[in-house]
Amino acid sequence: MNNKNNQNSVYFTPQQSVAQSAPPAQPQYTQQPQQQYQPQQQYYYQPYMPVKKLHKPFDKKDNVFFFLTLLSAFLMVDFAFFKGIKLGFTIAYFVLFAVTSVYLWKKTDKKSVFSLCCGALSLAGAVTFSLYENLLVNTIMFFLVFGLYGIYTLGISAAFTRKQGNFKMLFDLAYSVFIQSFSGLENVIGSARATTKKSKRFLYSLIGVAISLPVLGVVIPLLVQSDAAFEALIGKIVKNLGIYIVEFLIAAFATPFLFSYFYSKRCKKENKTVVSGNKFRFVVSPISVSFLSVISITYAVYLFSQLAYFFSAFEGILPSDYEYTASAFARRGFYEMFAVCAINIVIITLVNAFTKRENGKPSVAVKILSCFISLFSVLLIVISMQKMRLNISIYGLSANRVLVSALMVMILIMIAFFILHIFAPKISYMQPIILICSALFIALSFANVDARCAEYNIKAYQSGKIESLDLLNIRRSSDSAVPYLLDLAKGDDKVLSNAAKCQLAAYVDNSEDVNFTDNDKTIKVARSAYDFRAYNRARITAYNGIKDYYNNLSDKDKKVILDFNDMLENFYYDEEEDAFYDYSNDSYSLVHKYNPKTGLYDKTEKENYDE
């Protein structure tokens, strides 16, 4: 048995040796090889004892910031997730950002301008949640803010293991968020145990808290009886005690993972070697060239087919019944082109990342084909932009159209830096792409997309650029569009004024914080709407604007809003058909339908329909 191969599991000790015996006498007529006998050994099995991993105890800074992390988590739960992503989220994120910066900041670590800019952009993005409320924009902004925050934490703690100039830096970001937050939990628990063994300070702190509880049981009732404000505060806390306990438990559950995310960066190994990207290049150039060639030929055939639109000699390519209209051109193929551009970016990135170098340089054929596919993507984006321009000129603006247009600009920026990187590999492309695209989206969010769309559509309709104005979509967009409905309701155009008043009534009916009073049919705003954690500038502006406008109307002018409100209470409102239905038993009937000539909902003869 080979002892050397079993060092990690068992080791053996010779117990006894046997003397070598003399070989037997050899016959004279034969020549036999001598046989050598090995000494016999007896072995004893002893199991391998693993070396217990030693954990470094928390220092004073770790102890303090563990509780600050718990506080940050509680603020995020209470201010943001239980009150909506509004001003409370902005405050909680600023607190989390400050705690992270103070804990991870080391003078010895080199901070890149890129990571600091990402941190500043994340703070700017967090501010937008307290200003405007568009579900799609805020959802994208939420992930963008925390993505920039992750890059910032990696940068200030010098925890990047890959170069920050290409897409591989995203692997570091994903690893730190999804792996280190869980794998580092063992180190946090081990260090916490080592800390409690080394010092009894934490135990003594708990004893002090326990001793204070009986004293508080006597002092707090006396203070409640002495002051009305304190009595109201304690009453509110007691009333919501169950919610606070749930929030604290959620924060306590999340704190170890959040602190593990921080702790793994603060206790990173020094003198790390940067991961080289060369070992990931396993695809030989001929495979990449043939792959890109097939893709490029397909795109060349597509470009050839486009000649049918410009030269009569190629008209035979088009279907015999083809008729060109602006609306058909605007609708057809937009999202397909957009998807092709996204696929092309992925193709170029992967091919250039995994293709082997020739004499340390990328293949010329790969570079040329990659450039062709990139330029083809630029052409598709230009065509898509033209389709979107026609779409907007016919149907008006919407938040989705604005966001898609902004995304097309971002893709053009990405392609431009990709082409630059293909011919100048030493130039970083990922950092400027992240900074420029993030700044562009944050600026778009500050521009208040829903308000700009409502403003454009109203002016375009009044000037005759678009044929119809959909007030239902304006009302459903977000709170930012409500002031423009108020302007229409106050205007001289009776049709638009009546239609706007009906949409304002529907807005009040769907709102949780603003509604009609039961006695005198005035509008009131609930006090909960003014909770600073749930504050949103666009929402409060809309609430106050509707309340002031309606409560100052005469009884005659209120009638349109009240009639629509009564219909909402008594009938089912189908927003897609813009009509009211009366449901009874197994049938329903149309009772009110929108009249575009008056802006009101006319009563119709009952048309019964079976379910």
Side-chain angles (χ1 to χ4, degrees):
M1 185 178 293
N2 190 350
N3 296 343
K4 186 175 181 180
N5 293 334
N6 294 274
Q7 290 178 358
N8 293 331
S9 57
V10 297
Y11 69 87
F12 302 90
T13 305
Q15 182 69 14
Q16 185 178 2
S17 299
V18 179
Q20 182 177 353
S21 60
Q26 303 293 331
Q28 296 182 356
Y29 57 89
T30 59
Q31 187 175 4
Q32 298 287 343
Q34 290 185 349
Q35 296 181 359
Q36 295 182 355
Y37 294 91
Q38 298 295 330
Q40 296 182 357
Q41 296 178 339
Q42 294 183 358
Y43 301 97
Y44 290 95
Y45 173 79
Q46 182 171 339
Y48 168 72
M49 301 297 293
V51 179
K52 189 175 182 180
K53 185 177 180 180
L54 298 178
H55 293 278
K56 178 184 176 182
F58 289 152
D59 57 21
K60 186 181 294 185
K61 187 175 184 180
D62 294 327
N63 290 326
V64 171
F65 277 87
F66 182 85
F67 289 101
L68 289 178
T69 303
L70 175 61
L71 174 62
S72 301
F74 180 78
L75 288 178
M76 188 63 72
V77 173
D78 180 67
F79 279 31
F81 299 112
F82 272 69
K83 291 296 180 181
I85 310 297
K86 300 182 180 68
L87 177 61
F89 175 81
T90 303
I91 297 173
Y93 179 76
F94 270 69
V95 172
L96 177 64
F97 187 90
V99 170
T100 305
S101 301
V102 175
Y103 181 65
L104 294 180
W105 194 276
K106 289 183 180 179
K107 294 182 179 179
T108 56
D109 289 338
K110 185 178 179 181
K111 287 83 178 173
S112 64
V113 177
F114 168 65
S115 61
L116 296 178
C117 289
C118 287
L121 286 173
S122 72
L123 292 174
V127 173
T128 62
F129 293 98
S130 62
L131 300 178
Y132 315 116
E133 190 175 20
N134 178 288
L135 180 60
L136 179 59
V137 173
N138 285 5
T139 301
I140 298 174
M141 183 64 73
F142 181 84
F143 290 103
L144 176 62
V145 165
F146 279 107
L148 294 171
Y149 168 79
I151 296 174
Y152 170 75
T153 55
L154 285 170
I156 63 171
S157 58
F160 276 109
T161 60
R162 295 173 174 85
K163 293 181 179 179
Q164 302 175 43
N166 56 42
F167 77 99
K168 295 185 180 71
M169 64 168 288
L170 299 179
F171 295 154
D172 275 345
L173 178 61
Y175 178 79
S176 67
V177 174
F178 300 108
I179 304 299
Q180 283 187 335
S181 299
F182 297 92
S183 63
L185 197 60
E186 178 188 358
N187 294 330
V188 172
I189 296 174
S191 297
R193 289 176 178 174
T195 304
T196 55
K197 291 180 180 179
K198 181 181 178 181
S199 174
K200 301 295 184 180
R201 184 184 299 271
F202 181 73
L203 178 61
Y204 296 154
S205 299
L206 292 179
I207 293 174
V209 172
I211 294 174
S212 68
L213 294 179
V215 178
L216 291 177
V218 176
V219 172
I220 290 179
L222 296 175
L223 293 176
V224 167
Q225 294 180 0
S226 66
D227 184 75
F230 188 72
E231 180 183 7
L233 177 62
I234 295 299
K236 186 177 181 180
I237 293 175
V238 172
K239 180 181 178 181
N240 299 318
L241 185 61
I243 297 176
Y244 290 139
I245 292 175
V246 172
E247 291 177 349
F248 180 79
L249 292 176
I250 295 174
F253 175 78
T255 296
F257 299 98
L258 186 59
F259 189 74
S260 173
Y261 176 77
F262 302 148
Y263 191 68
S264 60
K265 294 170 179 54
R266 187 168 187 258
C267 300
K268 64 184 183 301
K269 293 181 180 180
E270 301 295 336
N271 300 322
K272 302 185 303 296
T273 57
V274 177
V275 177
S276 174
N278 294 327
K279 68 178 183 179
F280 297 106
R281 303 184 186 278
F282 56 88
V283 181
V284 294
S285 295
I287 294 177
S288 298
V289 171
S290 59
F291 171 74
L292 293 177
S293 297
V294 173
I295 303 298
S296 299
I297 291 172
T298 303
Y299 290 160
V301 173
Y302 176 85
L303 293 176
F304 176 80
S305 69
Q306 301 303 296
L307 297 176
Y309 295 105
F310 306 104
F311 302 100
S312 59
F314 297 92
E315 285 183 354
I317 298 176
L318 290 170
S320 58
D321 58 346
Y322 175 80
E323 293 182 3
Y324 174 85
T325 62
S327 59
F329 176 78
R331 289 193 304 267
R332 180 168 179 176
F334 174 81
Y335 292 103
E336 290 79 3
M337 286 185 176
F338 199 76
V340 170
C341 291
I343 292 172
N344 288 344
I345 291 176
V346 174
I347 288 174
I348 296 170
T349 302
L350 295 180
V351 167
N352 285 273
F354 297 116
T355 302
K356 290 182 178 180
R357 305 294 192 187
E358 296 178 356
N359 299 323
K361 296 181 179 180
S363 169
V364 176
V366 171
K367 292 166 63 174
I368 293 175
L369 292 172
S370 298
C371 185
F372 172 78
I373 294 175
S374 300
L375 293 176
F376 177 79
S377 300
V378 171
L379 177 62
L380 291 184
I381 289 294
V382 172
I383 296 175
S384 298
M385 284 183 168
Q386 175 66 8
K387 287 175 175 287
M388 182 58 71
R389 187 188 68 81
L390 282 175
N391 198 309
I392 292 172
S393 65
I394 297 171
Y395 303 107
L397 274 179
S398 69
N400 290 344
R401 291 166 191 156
V402 172
L403 290 177
V404 170
S405 300
L407 188 56
M408 286 191 290
V409 174
M410 294 179 190
I411 290 180
L412 285 179
I413 293 172
M414 294 172 63
I415 294 174
F417 280 102
F418 279 166
I419 294 175
L420 181 63
H421 180 72
I422 288 171
F423 294 98
K426 293 184 178 180
I427 296 179
S428 300
Y429 66 88
M430 202 64 202
Q431 292 173 330
I433 287 176
I434 291 176
L435 292 179
I436 294 174
C437 293
S438 298
L440 178 62
F441 186 80
I442 292 172
L444 182 67
S445 182
F446 273 106
N448 196 358
V449 176
D450 289 321
R452 302 288 76 78
C453 290
E455 181 182 18
Y456 171 85
N457 290 338
I458 291 172
K459 289 182 177 180
Y461 174 75
Q462 292 174 341
S463 63
K465 289 183 179 180
I466 58 177
E467 296 179 359
S468 62
L469 181 62
D470 194 342
L471 296 185
L472 177 63
N473 282 335
I474 292 179
R475 189 259 296 173
R476 289 193 299 187
S477 57
S478 76
D479 303 304
S480 299
V482 170
Y484 295 92
L485 289 177
L486 289 171
D487 290 340
L488 291 177
K490 299 172 185 177
D492 297 328
D493 189 327
K494 285 297 182 182
V495 175
L496 287 180
S497 178
N498 291 334
K501 289 175 182 177
C502 292
Q503 294 305 323
L504 290 175
Y507 177 88
V508 172
D509 182 74
N510 292 328
S511 176
E512 297 179 357
D513 294 314
V514 56
N515 49 59
F516 292 96
T517 58
D518 295 332
N519 48 6
D520 56 356
K521 286 295 183 181
T522 59
I523 290 180
K524 66 177 181 179
V525 180
R527 292 185 60 184
S528 59
Y530 297 99
D531 186 336
F532 76 95
R533 294 169 295 181
Y535 175 84
N536 180 271
R537 179 186 173 188
R539 173 159 292 190
I540 295 301
T541 301
Y543 287 172
N544 292 335
I546 291 176
K547 184 184 70 172
D548 294 340
Y549 165 74
Y550 178 83
N551 292 339
N552 291 324
L553 288 176
S554 64
D555 293 338
K556 181 180 178 181
D557 292 331
K558 287 181 180 179
K559 188 176 185 305
V560 175
I561 297 178
L562 293 175
D563 288 345
F564 189 87
N565 181 255
D566 290 337
M567 287 187 283
L568 288 172
E569 291 179 356
N570 298 315
F571 305 110
Y572 170 75
Y573 178 46
D574 189 326
E575 290 190 343
E576 298 300 328
E577 296 186 12
D578 207 2
F580 288 90
Y581 290 90
D582 182 17
Y583 282 85
S584 60
N585 298 327
D586 295 331
S587 64
Y588 63 96
S589 58
L590 177 66
V591 290
H592 293 279
K593 189 171 180 62
Y594 179 72
N595 185 350
K597 295 181 179 180
T598 61
L600 299 174
Y601 289 79
D602 295 341
K603 191 173 182 179
T604 63
E605 295 183 3
K606 283 197 174 184
E607 301 177 16
N608 294 322
Y609 304 93
D610 293 331
E611 293 226 0

